[in-house]
Amino acid sequence: MSKQLKKFVAALQDSIRQMANSPFNAKQVATKIGVKGKDAEMIPFLLEQMMHSGELKEVGKGRYQAVATAQTIQGRMDINLKGNGYLIPEDGTPDVFISAAFLNTALNRDTVKVQLFASRNAAKPEGEVTEIVERNRMKFVGRLDVGKQFAFLIPDDRKMYKDIFVPLDKLGGAKTGDKVQVQITEWPDAKKSPMGEVLEVMGRPGLHETEMNAIVAEFGFDSKFAPEIEKEAEKIPFEIPKEDIKGRRDFRDILTFTIDPEDAKDFDDAISYNPLANGHLEVGVHIADVSHYVRENSPLDKEAYRRATSVYLVDRTIPMLPEKLSNGVCSLRPNEDKLTFSAVFELDENGKIFNEWFGRTVIHSKRRFTYEDAQERLDSGEGDLAKELKTLNNIAHKLREARFKNGAVNFETEEVKFKLAEDGTPLSVYIKVRKDAHKLVEEFMLLANKKVAEFIFKKHKPKPYLYRTHESPNMEKLTLFGNFAKRFGIKIDTASQKSLSKSFNDMLQKVEGRPEQNILQGMAIRTMAKAKYTTKSTEHYGLAFDFYTHFTSPIRRYPDVLAHRLLEDYLEGKPGANPSRLEDQCKHSSEMEVKAAEAERASVKYKQVEFMKGSVGKIFEGIISGVTEWGLYVEVRESRCEGMVRVNNMRGDMYEFDEKNMCLRGLKKKRTFGMGDPVTIKVMKADMDKRQLDFDLVM
């Protein structure tokens, strides 16, 4: 079927569904979709075909009626940039396409019920939203446009497909051009814009504070805590009462230290170092005992659960807990007694574990290292605790080698960082380099998370627990990636999990430092399912662990607080959590983690566009990082800033999208532009509102 005929049939089907249960004839359909002449002559034939396929029924001579299935399914909406949507069913069945005409006010990430349409065999399922079960959000951030009789919010969120109508008496003092947050108050007619009111005026667009606060609000996070939450936190004393130490294992006389970023204040974890008489080493992984201070179902606990995670923007942290706790009471600061929950291991120099212990402890950190401090000692072998750090680093190397031998994948995504002026203006962009000091800490945290999960599963099965899981790659996506990787001389072996992991690791080693490194690594990651929290104890593919949890960051992740509470319950012989409630908590935590990551990416993207604003008209070398029917995404090598070359602006030929080979191909000259190809671009526009860069190819 040609593309033109496909579009004709799609328009025909949409028009029929819009007529719902009303009978119609061919002439009415032709008028509905606006066709005449020979095109209209096709309609009776197509209607007859649709009747035989079960999509229509004949209710009179030449009169038909749409057949709706009785099947209704529930799931989460995913709206695309064109304003159409896909239902992601809760039962894992295939996605259902929902055209814009049948969204019925459903918004991105809403939980909805959809009634399926009857369709031809092998056609992609389609349907109509019949019920909004739960709204994901009703507050939106954007630019306000005020007229004489009404105002509209033009949302920053490009997946919000309608502007929001704001009556003049609901502006809250906002003026044209202001960046504001608006709440939808009613939406009686899906064909029209929703009604709303201004909740907060954030300031003038383009100002650093305005834009960062707008991003926080856009993704549903709060920069400040309610007064009652702050008051509850302030009541918690820094001093530890003697009775709170009773029953805890005391590590205060054992060498303990922290290693964190230079600007960190919330120190979640510390490591203790204790040589044993038998030649082994006792290493303690000590984690802030947040659950001791944040009691279950208290206002503090409910607020921490609602937030679920700290959010890290380019210039600030939006914490999960008030500062009194995150940077003070719970933070494992040097030269202070602190309450902790610990995983303690007896190891030899090869990382072999002889004994393990889990429980509540008290520590006293003797030293606060930055990553740079620790790395300096690892490189030079000099300075305080250099010997101890070297020993731990050697064990970390052994643990990492064992992981990779067992099938772990060495994905190390690049983290874009900015040097900012006092007013927030980006002065430079750089990639954060991970060295041994980072990996040392990471390896012992992975060990603790893995061993806690194993302990729970093996010693306390079938009691419910919170696991961090990561499913194997999607085979369809993997096949496409394998075909793409061949262009760079890379073979992906999918015969087994270990051979696949080895292929990924070999690829990452082969392309390290090459222009296509970031593209190939990003595509490989996208073949995999996202990691999530669940009560189901399935594997973590990327780490090659059978059991894994999050235990080591309770100051900034709510799941870790839950992991501590449950571990304590099981150590004390208590029955533990309600499985259904715990699964709901896992689902909420996973969703909030995704939102936080999106907010972080939005802040990075905004600063990248701002950084490139001064380069409009300049020429850069880049690499094609994405291909779509509407154009090429190109990443500038120098700054890792990504922009788009629109297909409409590509001169000298007409280009067609080849989805199978992920490229644009010229119809006349047959020149192709594909993923990973090097190109030269000129910066044409830096759109701060859309956080979008427009490039032109220099051909």
Side-chain angles (χ1 to χ4, degrees):
M1 188 184 290
S2 69
K3 283 187 177 180
Q4 188 174 358
L5 184 55
K6 281 182 180 179
K7 287 183 178 179
F8 184 89
V9 172
L12 177 70
Q13 290 172 324
D14 271 356
S15 69
I16 289 169
R17 287 166 188 156
Q18 287 173 31
M19 288 186 272
N21 296 319
S22 303
F24 55 85
N25 58 31
K27 187 176 180 180
Q28 287 172 308
V29 173
T31 302
K32 183 84 173 173
I33 60 177
V35 296
K36 298 177 182 178
K38 290 185 178 180
D39 285 341
E41 290 173 9
M42 293 176 59
I43 292 177
F45 171 73
L46 292 171
L47 292 178
E48 191 74 15
Q49 276 196 327
M50 292 172 74
M51 186 184 76
H52 288 300
S53 68
E55 292 177 81
L56 301 178
K57 60 183 177 181
E58 194 170 25
V59 293
K61 189 174 181 180
R63 291 179 65 75
Y64 303 89
Q65 191 170 333
V67 176
T69 70
Q71 187 180 359
T72 299
I73 56 177
Q74 183 168 307
R76 178 66 56 90
M77 284 301 309
D78 182 11
I79 307 290
N80 63 26
L81 298 182
K82 292 183 178 180
N84 298 315
Y86 289 88
L87 180 83
I88 315 298
E90 293 175 349
D91 60 7
T93 53
D95 298 353
V96 180
F97 177 74
I98 316 289
S99 75
F102 299 109
L103 286 173
N104 294 328
T105 80
L107 298 173
N108 194 46
R109 287 193 177 144
D110 284 352
T111 301
V112 302
K113 287 184 179 178
V114 165
Q115 184 170 335
L116 297 183
F117 295 136
S119 61
R120 292 183 175 87
N121 292 335
K124 187 173 183 64
E126 296 184 32
E128 177 176 10
V129 174
T130 56
E131 182 184 343
I132 310 293
V133 178
E134 184 180 1
R135 289 287 191 189
N136 172 61
R137 60 189 286 207
M138 292 292 275
K139 298 175 183 177
F140 292 87
V141 173
R143 187 190 291 263
L144 196 68
D145 186 359
V146 182
K148 291 183 178 179
Q149 296 181 323
F150 52 83
F152 276 98
L153 179 84
I154 303 165
D156 287 349
D157 184 352
R158 295 167 66 196
K159 291 192 174 187
M160 177 52 180
Y161 52 88
K162 293 278 191 182
D163 292 343
I164 301 171
F165 173 76
V166 183
L168 296 182
D169 61 349
K170 300 291 183 181
L171 294 179
K175 300 174 183 177
T176 288
D178 280 349
K179 183 83 76 167
V180 300
Q181 184 182 47
V182 165
Q183 176 164 308
I184 294 175
T185 53
E186 56 179 311
W187 198 349
D189 187 344
K191 295 178 182 178
K192 297 180 180 179
S193 290
M195 303 273 288
E197 63 178 334
V198 173
L199 294 181
E200 182 181 356
V201 181
M202 297 183 166
R204 302 304 290 179
L207 298 178
H208 176 76
E209 280 300 312
T210 298
E211 297 298 340
M212 292 300 106
N213 287 331
I215 288 171
V216 173
E218 178 184 340
F219 290 93
F221 295 98
D222 294 323
S223 297
K224 297 178 181 178
F225 290 90
E228 58 269 24
I229 302 299
E230 292 282 11
K231 283 181 182 177
E232 185 182 356
E234 285 302 320
K235 290 178 184 176
I236 298 173
F238 280 100
E239 299 76 21
I240 303 173
K242 288 183 180 180
E243 57 268 23
D244 286 357
I245 294 176
K246 287 180 181 177
R248 290 178 179 265
R249 187 169 167 181
D250 197 335
F251 279 80
R252 285 177 290 184
D253 291 332
I254 294 173
L255 174 62
T256 303
F257 50 85
T258 60
I259 308 175
D260 290 281
E262 186 176 3
D263 57 353
K265 294 178 182 177
D266 52 346
F267 309 143
D268 270 301
D269 53 84
I271 295 174
S272 64
Y273 183 100
N274 184 26
L276 302 177
N278 62 3
H280 293 163
L281 181 66
E282 181 189 77
V283 177
V285 178
H286 306 285
I287 310 302
D289 192 357
V290 172
S291 63
H292 175 81
Y293 297 102
V294 179
R295 299 297 185 177
E296 190 171 7
N297 293 323
S298 67
L300 259 176
D301 181 51
K302 290 176 181 177
E303 178 66 9
Y305 171 68
R306 185 181 73 83
R307 292 175 177 246
T309 181
S310 294
V311 186
Y312 296 88
L313 304 187
V314 292
D315 70 326
R316 70 194 65 194
T317 299
I318 311 301
M320 183 181 79
L321 298 170
E323 186 176 351
K324 173 74 179 287
L325 292 175
S326 60
N327 295 353
V329 174
C330 296
S331 185
L332 307 184
R333 303 188 299 194
N335 306 313
E336 296 178 7
D337 288 355
K338 293 290 179 180
L339 301 181
T340 46
F341 212 136
S342 305
V344 183
F345 306 101
E346 180 185 338
L347 313 98
D348 65 12
E349 61 185 9
N350 293 314
K352 181 181 178 182
I353 297 173
F354 294 87
N355 286 300
E356 61 185 30
W357 178 90
F358 309 99
R360 284 200 149 109
T361 52
V362 57
I363 68 165
H364 188 98
S365 174
K366 306 293 194 298
R367 180 73 155 84
R368 187 267 203 229
F369 285 105
T370 65
Y371 284 125
E372 291 75 18
D373 291 336
Q375 189 63 45
E376 186 180 321
R377 282 151 181 76
L378 293 176
D379 291 339
S380 68
E382 298 178 357
D384 61 318
L385 304 184
K387 178 185 173 184
E388 289 82 354
L389 287 171
K390 279 272 191 183
T391 301
L392 289 172
N393 192 44
N394 290 337
I395 295 174
H397 274 276
K398 300 288 186 182
L399 293 172
R400 189 156 54 252
E401 287 169 13
R403 277 200 300 113
F404 293 147
K405 187 177 180 180
N406 198 41
V409 184
N410 187 24
F411 285 130
E412 290 199 19
T413 54
E414 291 185 338
E415 187 178 351
V416 177
K417 304 290 282 184
F418 296 86
K419 182 180 180 182
L420 302 176
E422 287 187 12
D423 64 356
T425 303
L427 302 175
S428 61
V429 185
Y430 62 95
I431 303 301
K432 182 178 176 181
V433 179
R434 279 168 38 83
K435 296 185 178 180
D436 269 9
H438 299 81
K439 296 174 185 178
L440 182 163
V441 174
E442 178 184 73
E443 213 57 53
F444 282 103
M445 297 307 119
L446 290 175
L447 178 66
N449 288 333
K450 172 189 175 184
K451 288 299 180 180
V452 167
E454 283 182 1
F455 173 75
I456 292 291
F457 185 83
K458 294 176 181 179
K459 301 285 186 180
H460 296 277
K461 187 180 178 182
K463 291 179 179 178
Y465 198 63
L466 178 144
Y467 296 96
R468 178 73 169 177
T469 64
H470 183 218
E471 295 175 2
S472 301
N474 176 287
M475 286 307 298
E476 184 179 347
K477 292 180 180 178
L478 198 56
T479 300
L480 289 173
F481 174 69
N483 292 335
F484 173 74
K486 286 178 185 175
R487 294 172 51 188
F488 299 91
I490 292 165
K491 183 181 178 182
I492 302 298
D493 185 352
T494 61
S496 68
Q497 182 168 315
K498 282 196 175 182
S499 66
L500 176 59
S501 300
K502 185 177 186 304
S503 294
F504 278 142
N505 288 331
D506 288 347
M507 175 195 75
L508 295 169
Q509 188 173 13
K510 184 175 181 179
V511 301
E512 187 175 359
R514 283 164 51 177
E516 64 269 22
Q517 176 184 356
N518 209 28
I519 308 301
L520 283 165
Q521 182 165 287
M523 287 188 70
I525 290 172
R526 286 193 288 275
T527 67
M528 300 184 185
K530 287 184 171 64
K532 65 180 181 180
Y533 299 106
T534 177
T535 55
K536 300 174 181 64
S537 55
T538 53
E539 65 171 351
H540 193 295
Y541 173 81
L543 295 172
F545 291 160
D546 291 332
F547 309 102
Y548 191 65
T549 189
H550 270 174
F551 174 80
T552 52
S553 295
I555 290 177
R556 62 185 181 89
R557 292 190 306 226
Y558 192 80
D560 303 56
V561 180
L562 289 173
H564 283 206
R565 284 183 185 146
L566 290 169
L567 177 57
E568 177 68 7
D569 283 349
Y570 298 153
L571 288 171
E572 293 181 355
K574 295 178 182 178
N578 175 289
S580 177
R581 180 168 182 258
L582 182 58
E583 186 62 40
D584 286 343
Q585 290 172 318
C586 289
K587 183 180 177 183
H588 171 73
S589 297
S590 297
E591 290 170 355
M592 295 303 289
E593 176 186 46
V594 170
K595 281 189 179 183
E598 289 178 349
E600 291 160 21
R601 282 196 295 270
S603 75
V604 169
K605 184 67 179 177
Y606 181 83
K607 285 297 163 187
Q608 286 178 320
V609 174
E610 186 180 1
F611 178 72
M612 293 295 287
K613 188 172 65 172
S615 297
V616 172
K618 293 183 180 179
I619 293 173
F620 296 93
E621 296 303 310
I623 187 167
I624 297 175
S625 54
V627 184
T628 70
E629 59 184 318
W630 54 86
L632 306 172
Y633 288 98
V634 177
E635 182 183 272
V636 175
R637 291 181 185 176
E638 184 179 312
S639 63
R640 299 297 196 275
C641 298
E642 187 181 65
M644 169 161 274
V645 176
R646 301 186 185 281
V647 70
N648 296 338
N649 296 332
M650 293 173 66
R651 297 174 295 279
D653 206 341
M654 295 288 291
Y655 289 88
E656 186 176 51
F657 178 49
D658 180 346
E659 186 174 7
K660 183 179 178 182
N661 295 299
M662 291 300 292
C663 68
L664 289 178
R665 180 174 285 105
L667 297 179
K668 294 179 181 178
K669 300 178 182 178
K670 306 302 180 186
R671 183 178 179 183
T672 61
F673 293 93
M675 289 275 287
D677 287 350
V679 289
T680 303
I681 60 93
K682 184 177 183 180
V683 182
M684 303 304 294
K685 184 180 178 182
D687 190 324
M688 304 291 288
D689 283 343
K690 295 180 179 178
R691 303 176 197 137
Q692 186 173 287
L693 292 168
D694 286 343
F695 297 157
D696 239 357
L697 284 178
V698 177
M699 303 177 73

